[in-house]
Amino acid sequence: MADPRFEGSGTDGAPGNPRRLIPRTDRVMSDPRLVAAARALGPAVVKTAVLAAQELARNGQLDPAFVADAAVDALPVLATTLRPVINATGVVLHTNLGRAQLSPSAVDAVVAAAGYVDVEFDLGSGQRARRGRGAVAALLAAVPLAGDAMIVNNGAAALLLAVTSLAGRGTVLVSRGEMVEIGDGFRLPDLIRSTGVQIVEVGTTNRTTAEDYQRAIRPDTGAIVKIHPSNFRIQGFTSSVPVAELTGSGVPVVVDIGSGLLARDPLLPDEPNAVAALLAGASVVTCSGDKLLGGPQAGLLLGSADVVSRIRRHPLARAVRADKLTLAAIDATLRGPTNPTAERLRADPNRLRSRCQALAKIVEGELAPSMGAVGGGSAPGLDLPGWAVAVPTSLAPILRRGRPPIVGRIDSGRLLLDLRCVPEADDHSIADAVLNARAQEFKT
Ligand SMILES: *Cc1c(COP(=O)(O)O)cnc(C)c1O
């Protein structure tokens, strides 16, 4: 008789075949640790881990007696497949790692907004209220020059919505020097054309003048669009037209500043900001929420009350509106204390050096100067001098697959672990992980 506790005890269950001894799924799932995990993470997540452990046992890579233990070890911490990562790249707004890290107050706001919230409801009157009015008010408090503001899904959506609602099926003027690709093959001109707006290119790649714009204005010109070429720099014989010289023609001027700097920042002197663009006469400014603003993925529109109200009434506005979690995080980012993005851009090099020195000593790595970067297509020319611990590149895949995963930067044949974007409390996790990785490498 086959033992009913095990599966695979039928035809292929030759004596000595480990497949005979694979414990049945329901039996493994009844392990108290996995029962508890199923309650927290959902049965599907636990079952996936159990099936994977059974598979390892079937392939002879795991002693069948340890299937439950292996499943417990492999369980994710969260029900999501997104894994929190330690960013040791030195790139503050790493697009592949989710750009800005939210401040603790923004995280709390997101958690609070996860349930029912008054996002579109006035508790005083019991009536429907303007969606996300608190976040909009915070934005207007930060940029009082704006008559009104709006928050949408992301920066691309903000630009798309502004251009489409102002130009409809007409045309917009864009300088040739500002026809940019923002990454991963996405080109802003394609985005603009995607809703039927036609682009009239003005000027040349390196030089565009105010006369170029003036000459190109026609009755169907819905807007002049200025795009900040945020992820590259052209040097040499160049000129572009300041926003102030584009206003006054009666055509609304849309300025995409990209990085979400609301006001001038001495650390980022070349980065355009919303206040300056509005002062210069922009009708509406668009930008991202998860770049220099340090908030969640979002698109911000700030402008004159009549232009923003035109934009808000466009049918596309409903398709790109921000969700309540985003609104809560933007609100808290604007009202709360300094966020991690701002802090990391200003990280004290001396402090970074002493942390790296301590880490290097523990893991037998080498202290190395490391140039951090803003990232996220922001401030491409700005260097952030800092420090890192250099270890062999062979550790990179082991660290990436660790718990938590650690992502460093390969530079000149070494793996640099730059601590700029690592919370100080995580330094010891990095030390443990590198020591483990070294031991693991030694074994194999
Ligand atoms: C980043 C960027 C965008 C796109 O913003 P997302 O929030 O990523 O959609 C658009 N324009 C400029 C100039 C940018 O820098």
Side-chain angles (χ1 to χ4, degrees):
M1 262 296 283
D3 185 335
R5 289 174 305 160
F6 300 109
E7 48 187 37
S9 47
T11 50
D12 56 358
N17 181 341
R19 294 189 61 159
R20 278 200 67 194
L21 304 169
I22 312 296
R24 288 166 41 144
T25 309
D26 53 353
R27 208 182 154 73
V28 183
M29 296 278 288
S30 70
D31 181 295
R33 295 168 297 173
L34 294 174
V35 170
R39 231 177 279 128
L41 302 171
V45 170
V46 176
K47 192 167 176 189
T48 304
V50 170
L51 294 179
Q54 286 174 319
E55 187 60 27
L56 287 176
R58 221 167 271 135
N59 297 336
Q61 291 166 272
L62 176 70
D63 182 336
F66 296 121
V67 166
D69 295 319
V72 169
D73 283 348
L75 279 177
V77 181
L78 304 166
T80 168
T81 54
L82 281 181
R83 315 249 318 256
V85 166
I86 292 184
N87 173 9
T89 62
V91 180
V92 181
L93 301 170
H94 199 299
T95 300
N96 302 149
L97 299 181
R99 288 199 186 148
Q101 184 177 35
L102 293 184
S103 64
S105 63
V107 172
D108 290 345
V110 168
V111 172
Y116 297 122
V117 275
D118 60 344
V119 63
E120 223 175 285
F121 186 74
D122 181 57
L123 292 168
S125 67
Q127 305 290 308
R128 186 181 176 283
R130 188 167 152 188
R131 185 181 176 82
R133 61 213 173 280
V136 168
L139 207 46
L140 293 176
V143 187
L145 212 56
D148 202 352
M150 214 181 141
I151 301 167
V152 296
N153 180 59
N154 61 8
L159 177 63
L160 182 75
L161 184 61
V163 168
T164 308
S165 32
L166 296 178
R169 301 261 145 198
T171 60
V172 295
L173 309 186
V174 181
S175 163
R176 281 212 168 82
E178 297 173 9
M179 306 282 276
V180 300
E181 175 172 320
I182 52 176
D184 196 27
F186 284 100
R187 297 178 170 174
L188 290 181
D190 295 341
L191 179 87
I192 292 172
R193 289 189 197 103
S194 68
T195 58
V197 174
Q198 279 178 35
I199 293 178
V200 174
E201 292 182 34
V202 300
T204 61
T205 307
N206 57 334
R207 290 175 72 86
T208 300
T209 64
E211 292 73 55
D212 291 326
Y213 285 98
Q214 253 106 58
R215 268 200 305 271
I217 292 176
R218 297 191 310 231
D220 73 344
T221 307
I224 295 173
V225 181
K226 267 226 40 104
I227 298 170
H228 175 54
S230 53
N231 52 6
F232 69 98
R233 283 213 288 200
I234 297 190
Q235 286 179 333
F237 185 56
T238 64
S239 75
S240 65
V241 184
V243 174
E245 290 176 34
L246 297 175
T247 57
S249 65
V251 178
V253 178
V254 177
V255 181
D256 175 11
I257 59 169
S259 295
L261 198 59
L262 297 183
R264 203 186 111 74
D265 183 338
L267 181 73
L268 304 152
D270 299 332
E271 206 53 35
N273 65 78
V275 169
L278 290 171
L279 260 180
S283 317
V284 62
V285 177
T286 67
C287 61
S288 296
D290 55 356
K291 293 180 181 171
L292 293 173
L293 189 72
Q297 179 190 304
L300 312 180
L301 296 114
L302 293 137
S304 66
D306 60 320
V307 169
V308 174
S309 121
R310 258 173 87 184
I311 295 173
R312 182 176 292 113
R313 285 198 305 269
H314 193 277
L316 197 60
R318 179 61 175 77
V320 297
R321 78 174 189 187
D323 78 305
K324 62 178 180 175
L325 304 180
T326 301
L327 294 169
I330 287 274
D331 200 354
T333 300
L334 290 166
R335 293 175 199 270
T338 348
N339 58 63
T341 299
E343 280 166 10
R344 283 158 197 179
L345 291 175
R346 289 165 182 76
D348 173 13
N350 292 325
R351 183 74 204 137
L352 289 173
R353 189 174 197 278
S354 62
R355 286 170 63 196
C356 287
Q357 216 158 17
L359 179 62
K361 205 165 155 196
I362 299 172
V363 304
E364 292 174 25
E366 224 176 282
L367 178 70
S370 170
M371 206 50 99
V374 182
S378 303
L382 187 77
D383 292 329
L384 301 172
W387 294 89
V389 176
V391 294
T393 54
S394 54
L395 299 182
I398 307 176
L399 291 172
R400 276 201 319 272
R401 291 185 205 118
R403 280 182 170 214
I406 297 168
V407 181
R409 189 171 89 242
I410 307 280
D411 186 272
S412 319
R414 301 182 301 174
L415 174 65
L416 294 186
L417 300 171
D418 184 317
L419 297 185
R420 173 180 301 278
C421 306
V422 177
E424 223 165 306
D426 283 344
D427 286 5
H428 71 98
S429 309
I430 298 195
D432 292 347
V434 175
L435 290 176
N436 278 333
R438 279 197 188 278
Q440 212 172 314
E441 193 185 38
F442 187 70
K443 260 191 292 178
T444 54

